[in-house]
Amino acid sequence: LTQLIPLGEEKRATLSTEETAAHLGLANQTLRMWACYGSGPIQPIKVQGRLRWPVKKLALILGV
């Protein structure tokens, strides 16, 4: 993973599972479990079969 962009400066609408996990300080697999079971404070959207995590919701969770 390259250096994370601070959420306040992020221009993209969604992030990958790897980037989101890094921002939250969690394992990638934790986010995959949230997606699978519909648990966790944030849910992804699927884009071309891949999980993408909304930046706005992530920023709300982290208080950014």
Side-chain angles (χ1 to χ4, degrees):
L1 181 66
T2 59
Q3 185 173 349
L4 286 177
I5 297 171
L7 288 178
E9 298 173 17
E10 183 60 66
K11 303 284 189 245
R12 297 172 292 170
T14 62
L15 298 177
S16 70
T17 298
E18 184 179 41
E19 292 168 310
T20 303
H23 276 291
L24 292 171
L26 298 171
N28 296 347
Q29 195 60 26
T30 301
L31 274 69
R32 290 187 189 104
M33 286 178 55
W34 289 356
C36 183
Y37 295 111
S39 60
I42 184 174
Q43 288 300 302
I45 57 172
K46 281 195 175 184
V47 178
Q48 297 180 346
R50 297 201 177 265
L51 298 177
R52 301 294 296 180
W53 301 82
V55 171
K56 286 184 180 182
K57 290 184 182 180
L58 180 59
L60 281 173
I61 290 168
L62 295 175
V64 176

